[in-house]
Amino acid sequence: TATINNLCSNDGYQVQNDRMATNSPATDSGGGIAQVTFRVRCETLGHGEAIFLSQADNPSGSRIPLFTTAKSYPWYTTRTPLSLPLPATPNNKTYRYRYAINRAGIFHRWEEPSDGGGIEEFRAQQTINSSGNTAVHTVPLRLLHGGEIYTVNDVLGVTGGPPDIDHIKMRNNFSSVGSLARKNA
């Protein structure tokens, strides 16, 4: 998995994951670490264009590439889950992000509402970030729990409304082999 502040490689892309949660110091992971895969639906990319995940509060920071295959198109997914540190009290804390479009390996633009295809009812709910008039996606950290695995599903250009989060796996904690045997009996 991609880890925070560690260098990782995804098919030739070298990316560095910055501190992921906003409003939270880097040392505040009292709530544990959640593993989150980001998945976005996009049917509007042109030839030679690629999509990247970027932390909204650090847009000049590193970007994480998303990939697709012939079988999974039009869904683009991070190659490995990101490790998001969860604060001990996640009440109003969020992870804010947006998607960047690169053309021929160079930043071209940020996602736009027109990238959302025919989802007009969501476009009417677009939220605009007051610093730069760029829409951002948000995941409330209160929806995530440490040690568990999630997938966040987005539509490129649609930032209104709550995120679609799939809870993929819960990790069971057993204190001993005996408790594991009792659980399976």
Side-chain angles (χ1 to χ4, degrees):
T1 58
T3 57
I4 296 159
N5 294 326
N6 289 331
L7 197 62
C8 67
S9 175
N10 285 328
D11 289 350
Y13 289 100
Q14 293 277 326
V15 295
Q16 171 127 10
N17 293 326
D18 298 318
R19 181 172 56 90
M20 292 292 154
T22 61
N23 305 325
S24 173
T27 58
D28 182 14
S29 61
I33 304 278
Q35 301 296 315
V36 181
T37 298
F38 287 85
R39 205 175 139 212
V40 64
R41 183 179 177 94
C42 177
E43 299 177 33
T44 59
L45 287 185
H47 183 70
E49 292 183 331
I51 189 164
F52 287 78
L53 178 76
S54 175
Q55 186 177 356
D57 297 321
N58 186 12
S60 61
S62 59
R63 296 188 178 118
I64 298 156
L66 282 82
F67 300 91
T68 192
T69 63
K71 186 176 180 178
S72 64
Y73 179 83
W75 290 98
Y76 291 75
T77 309
T78 53
R79 197 62 87 188
T80 58
L82 298 165
S83 297
L84 295 183
L86 303 173
T89 55
N91 294 339
N92 295 323
K93 300 200 167 80
T94 61
Y95 173 60
R96 296 166 26 93
Y97 62 98
R98 58 186 171 170
Y99 294 102
I101 309 299
N102 283 18
R103 182 179 283 169
I106 299 171
F107 175 77
H108 176 58
R109 64 180 175 85
W110 294 110
E111 65 182 310
E112 299 169 348
S114 61
D115 292 324
I119 307 178
E120 299 300 326
E121 64 273 11
F122 284 107
R123 272 203 205 129
Q125 301 174 8
Q126 289 295 308
T127 56
I128 303 297
N129 178 357
S130 61
S131 62
N133 293 331
T134 303
V136 297
H137 301 263
T138 59
V139 173
L141 295 180
R142 65 180 165 71
L143 300 177
L144 308 177
H145 299 282
E148 297 183 9
I149 302 170
Y150 301 88
T151 298
V152 173
N153 300 291
D154 290 314
V155 174
L156 193 68
V158 177
T159 58
D164 179 15
I165 302 174
D166 295 332
H167 188 192
I168 304 300
K169 184 177 180 184
M170 256 175 77
R171 295 186 182 169
N172 292 328
N173 293 327
F174 298 105
S175 58
S176 68
V177 174
S179 68
L180 179 60
R182 284 189 301 276
K183 179 74 174 173
N184 289 331

